[in-house]
Amino acid sequence: MKIDAIILAAGKGKRMQSASPKVLQQVAGKSLLQHVLDTSLELKSCQPHIVVGDQASLVKASVSAPKNSKWSKQAKQLGTGHAAKQSLKGLRAGSIALILYGDVPLVKSSTMNNLVKAAGKSSLALLSFEQQTPKGYGRIIRSPGGKVLGIVEEKDATTEQKKITEVNSGIMAVASNKLEELLNGLKNKNTAKEYYLTDIVSLANENKIPVKAVKLDSKEEVLGANNREELNQLERNYQLLKAKEFLKKGVIISDPARVDFRGEVKIQKGSSIDINCVFEGKVEIGKNVIIGPGAIIRNSKIGDGSRIEPYTLIENAILEKNVSAGPYAHIGPDAHLEENSEIGNFVEVKRSKIGKGTKAKHLAYIGDGQVSEKVNVGAGTIFVNYDGKNKNKTKVAKGAFIGSNSSLIAPIKIGQNSMIGAGSVVTSDVPAERLALGRSRQRNIKKK
Ligand code: UD1
Ligand code: CA
């Protein structure tokens, strides 16, 4: 069955009190609209139709959509029904139209699929849920026998109707040709003077199109966000859902309420995450990795058995197996730490490779470095990579020992098994197996 996903994203979202359009507000580091779009793309033979209006070009430019997506513009925001109408000309013959709201971002693809199936070729299906505080949502009106008669918006509801706790998620499915017929019948005789999409339910009843309400057991995925407080709630819901997914897979999370996953995060079994960690972008964590509190990990891979000590920032980096990093280390961008290497307290590693078993355990800056295996980088070592114009490389061969508080003025090469005396300023290459002293000799002068 062909699915045409109509995503309504033209509204201003005044209640959000923000200069940017509502559908560009973010949950888990991704815009509301992008969430809906990405999920719809999980459906088989689905083509997205996005209706934009408020700051249309900004919205279009901010979303990454497949090439075959169709965009239509709603010049004036005359209501959700009017918005849906803008997409009609692009719909494919014989498709099922699935209407999604750009401000209801967490709907699962399985839920979307179920609704499309419930609609089939002949019915209108809508997704409802129970909300004990239903304010702001359209109420589902049923006959005493349970038949869905229509939807009444908050603004138009009587005191009695306002008490109804079964509400409209906004998501509907109906055959495209039927949708056209229904939308053409909409009127704006209501308090808001808008063309409500929700009125197609009563119209369907008038036109003898069967209406089916699919009621969700858990409402987490269909909550919308009209203001900042609701946006925060959505964020927490999302994070809790993510944390639960990881718990099920055998990941240990100290407190599911104090962790943030923003992006595509993969974590394998046996790894543990302490409180207040943030994961951003594409992150892959192997097995039995221990991540201490306050770690921030962006677009990075961390190998099995590694240990990330508290308050460490890792970005665009690869950490192989059994690496130890932190506390308070800054790894990346573009750092590659090979197996069993150790990067300790207050060490920054940038655009550098650190070889197997190499250690830099305290207070060092390693920038543009190629550090081989089993090197010891002493406390306070600086790779002086910047001459004011260019970034220059430092190469350190296997087994070298860099004494504490040394400055290696790049470009420079330090040979295999060589040793740099503490406090040296090293300005020329050091051959293998040498002791380099680049500091003034100590004088002990007699006191007067
Ligand atoms: C809507 C539903 C309500 C439902 C709730 C669920 C209607 C009339 N009401 O109310 O029954 O319970 O969502 O969250 O549909 N939009 C446009 N053009 C417009 C107006 C809105 O594209 O002219 C878009 C908005 O960008 C938004 C979506 O439609 O993504 C919903 O609009 P919104 O104003 O938030 O509707 P609600 O009042 O929340
Ligand atoms: Ca809304």
Side-chain angles (χ1 to χ4, degrees), residues 8 10-11 15 22 74 77 79-80 101-103 137-138 153 168 226:
L8 305 184
R15 291 166 280 183
K22 173 162 67 175
Q74 185 192 23
Q77 279 64 70
T80 47
Y101 284 11
D103 68 338
Y137 288 95
E153 290 303 302
N168 172 31
N226 291 319

Side-chain angles (χ1 to χ4, degrees), residues 19 101 126 213 236 290 377 410 412:
Y101 284 11
L126 64 91
R236 269 302 109 207
I290 297 171
V377 178
I412 198 161

Side-chain angles (χ1 to χ4, degrees), residues 403-408 420-426 436-439:
S404 293
N405 210 28
S406 297
S407 298
L408 311 181
I420 310 293
S424 290
V425 176
V426 185
L437 294 172
R439 62 191 192 208

Side-chain angles (χ1 to χ4, degrees), residues 150-206:
I151 301 174
V152 172
E153 290 303 302
E154 171 90 29
K155 284 178 185 160
D156 306 294
T158 63
T159 320
E160 273 313 298
Q161 287 170 331
K162 279 184 183 155
K163 288 181 192 155
I164 297 171
T165 52
E166 187 187 359
V167 300
N168 172 31
S169 72
I171 295 149
M172 294 188 197
V174 62
S176 297
N177 58 337
K178 293 206 162 58
L179 179 68
E180 177 158 18
E181 177 190 328
L182 291 169
L183 289 177
N184 285 333
L186 286 182
K187 303 223 163 59
N188 65 348
K189 283 185 189 142
N190 50 52
T191 316
K193 298 210 165 46
E194 283 184 2
Y195 295 91
Y196 291 157
L197 175 66
T198 43
D199 285 347
I200 67 172
V201 177
S202 54
L203 280 176
N205 279 317
E206 284 172 26

Side-chain angles (χ1 to χ4, degrees), residues 33 188 207 210 228 261 322 358 417 419 447:
L33 176 55
N188 65 348
N207 295 2
R228 299 223 152 255
F261 300 103
N322 303 319
T358 285
N417 293 329
M419 187 175 221
K447 285 168 85 181

